Amino acid sequence: MLSKEADVGLWVFGYGSIIWRPDFPHTIALWATAVGWSRRFWQGSHDHRGTPELPGRVLTLVPFPGESCKGRVFGIAPNNVDRVLGELDYREKNGYQRHTIPVQTAELGSVDALSYIALPDNTAWLGDAADDVIANQIRDSHGPSGSNKDYAISLYRALQREGIHDEHIQTIAELVV
Ligand code: SIN
């Protein structure tokens, strides 16, 4: 039987690349909704999907009352928590910080999950821009983890496969192709 506690020492909520490439051991993965948040390509990336000269744009969660963001919540076994946190702290190091937020699942109700969120006060922050400006930057940027375009399209496809509509992601994905 599915329970919140079974074999889970930590829940991690992913809304960007963590959805389609978690790359860490987990005992369970569920679709989940972060109410009052929306994802935006407002965080700069000069270490993964861009360079210091041409930073890419990656996702962060932004508080938007009345909106919500569908992502994936992963349950980490207690004996893997330290290792997974170490790996995620390194992966999300360019401006992201750990935050614990409630996310809603169909199977388990509300779950408190750790999420890596970049806030406007970090040095890599880019913030809002016109859709075509965001899309052009994504189309032109490449970094050690690959092209920024692949980052955007991979998420778009992962959401599409689940029938999840995200206006911002769809708009940018259609502009970059
Ligand atoms: C996440 O996926 O939850 C964080 C942002 C990213 O790595 O794309």
Side-chain angles (χ1 to χ4, degrees):
M1 198 181 70
L2 205 55
S3 92
K4 282 188 199 181
E5 289 79 26
D7 292 331
V8 174
L10 177 74
W11 291 96
V12 172
F13 177 71
Y15 55 87
S17 68
I18 290 178
I19 292 181
W20 51 271
R21 192 177 65 81
D23 228 10
F24 52 77
H26 50 274
T27 54
I28 181 173
L30 303 170
W31 289 95
T33 305
V35 176
W37 297 88
S38 210
R39 76 195 116 213
R40 293 286 186 276
F41 287 102
W42 289 4
Q43 174 66 2
S45 175
H46 55 253
D47 60 342
H48 277 302
R49 300 285 171 169
T51 59
E53 296 73 35
L54 266 184
R57 276 184 176 263
V58 288
L59 290 160
T60 186
L61 277 187
V62 181
F64 274 103
E67 295 190 15
S68 62
C69 174
K70 281 201 170 25
R72 202 121 167 91
V73 71
F74 299 88
I76 316 295
N79 61 327
N80 281 327
V81 167
D82 288 347
R83 169 185 154 195
V84 170
L85 280 177
E87 288 173 8
L88 284 175
D89 283 354
Y90 181 75
R91 168 174 168 172
E92 307 292 334
K93 66 186 183 318
N94 189 20
Y96 291 88
Q97 289 175 337
R98 296 180 189 175
H99 294 267
T100 300
I101 59 171
V103 296
Q104 314 303 318
T105 67
E107 297 84 352
L108 298 175
S110 184
V111 168
D112 286 334
L114 185 146
S115 194
Y116 285 81
I117 301 175
L119 299 176
D121 61 359
N122 83 84
T123 54
W125 180 262
L126 293 174
D128 198 7
D131 291 339
D132 59 329
V133 172
I134 292 178
N136 288 343
Q137 191 169 354
I138 289 174
R139 196 184 306 107
D140 293 344
S141 299
H142 304 261
S145 299
S147 79
N148 205 174
K149 179 176 161 178
D150 283 352
Y151 173 92
I153 298 296
S154 297
L155 177 66
Y156 177 55
R157 295 215 174 108
L159 296 180
Q160 258 191 332
R161 278 195 294 275
E162 283 303 306
I164 296 170
H165 176 72
D166 184 311
E167 191 69 33
H168 180 65
I169 301 301
Q170 179 165 345
T171 301
I172 300 303
E174 287 177 354
L175 284 170
V176 294
V177 288

